[in-house]
Amino acid sequence: MQERVLETVDCLFYRDGIRAVGMDKITAEIGISKRTLYDYFPSKDRLITAYLARRLIPISISERPAEEQILESFVHLERSLADEEFRGCPFVDAVVELKDPDHAANEIALSFRNQRHSWLLELLDRLQIAHPESLAMQLMLLIDGATAAAVIRRDPKLARAARDAARVLLAAAGVDSNDVSANVGAIAEKNNRSWVNQAKCHHADV
């Protein structure tokens, strides 16, 4: 039952907004009593925390070329932005909606950003970049910018523009990404894990 609750809440919170979804709506959607819901989640805040924690999925690193994995992440991003259920980054959405710096949601959102930063940093370290911290932050800003802009413009191709900018940044840092660019799209089709898998209604197997 706990997983069923989380699956339902995942879509409701992401699609309609955390503030807009009350406990009555959740119980009606699942077909359970409030008492049953509170047995699993004593408060809405606990439910919000569980919802975000469930979306905090580790980003894996493979043995493929580091620059290939970085550019591939923008292909995954474009796929996520093209999804009709896309509503932006759920971690950012939660922080903006709740407006409470002491809420556990802020810590989870920070964990998500730190996780993504560490992923980029490790890949850039493999490339022996002179200033990996700075470049990792620049790449994150490209991802954040494309994601935020897509909410307004509904144009997934913004991720493609961000990938082109990422290629320029990598080249400026001494990385020749031209040889891997042609392979990125084909590789991404084989690996359907989205860089922002958190940016859509999804089930436990995503």
Side-chain angles (χ1 to χ4, degrees):
M1 177 58 70
Q2 181 171 324
E3 186 57 30
R4 183 182 169 193
V5 170
L6 287 174
E7 285 185 359
T8 302
V9 166
D10 186 279
C11 279
L12 288 177
F13 279 171
Y14 184 68
R15 185 190 66 200
D16 300 334
I18 292 173
R19 292 291 191 191
V21 177
M23 302 300 260
D24 288 333
K25 185 172 185 178
I26 295 169
T27 54
E29 186 78 16
I30 302 172
I32 60 175
S33 67
K34 275 190 177 181
R35 180 175 179 178
T36 300
L37 179 58
Y38 283 122
D39 283 342
Y40 290 97
F41 300 98
S43 68
K44 186 177 179 181
D45 283 336
R46 290 279 292 275
L47 195 51
I48 293 169
T49 301
Y51 150 69
L52 291 175
R54 184 172 180 265
R55 283 178 171 258
L56 193 61
I57 302 172
I59 307 172
S60 61
I61 294 180
S62 73
E63 295 305 315
R64 289 187 289 106
E67 62 271 30
E68 190 173 274
Q69 294 183 65
I70 292 171
L71 293 177
E72 181 185 344
S73 70
F74 289 91
V75 177
H76 295 318
L77 176 62
E78 181 175 354
R79 184 179 294 113
S80 291
L81 300 186
D83 194 295
E84 62 181 11
E85 295 176 346
F86 174 73
R87 299 291 185 275
C89 173
F91 301 101
V92 174
D93 291 348
V95 171
V96 171
E97 270 199 86
L98 295 171
K99 296 181 177 64
D100 180 1
D102 296 323
H103 198 286
N106 291 55
E107 185 176 346
I108 298 174
L110 182 59
S111 295
F112 169 66
R113 293 191 61 80
N114 289 341
Q115 180 188 90
R116 189 165 67 178
H117 181 266
S118 296
W119 182 84
L120 284 167
L121 198 57
E122 182 171 342
L123 290 174
L124 293 174
D125 281 339
R126 289 186 186 183
L127 294 170
Q128 299 182 331
I129 299 294
H131 303 288
E133 284 279 356
S134 177
L135 184 52
M137 183 57 66
Q138 291 169 16
L139 292 171
M140 286 181 65
L141 288 172
L142 286 177
I143 295 164
D144 290 342
T147 303
V151 174
I152 300 172
R153 297 182 57 181
R154 311 303 301 179
D155 184 2
K157 293 186 180 64
L158 290 167
R160 205 171 300 175
R163 185 179 68 179
D164 291 339
R167 190 179 294 115
V168 171
L169 289 174
L170 289 170
V175 178
D176 183 5
S177 61
N178 291 325
D179 292 339
V180 302
S181 295
N183 299 326
V184 167
I187 292 171
E189 289 302 320
K190 296 179 182 179
N191 178 9
N192 197 31
R193 174 184 175 83
S194 171
W195 170 260
V196 283
N197 53 63
Q198 297 90 346
K200 57 182 288 188
C201 273
H202 68 283
H203 300 287
D205 58 346
V206 175

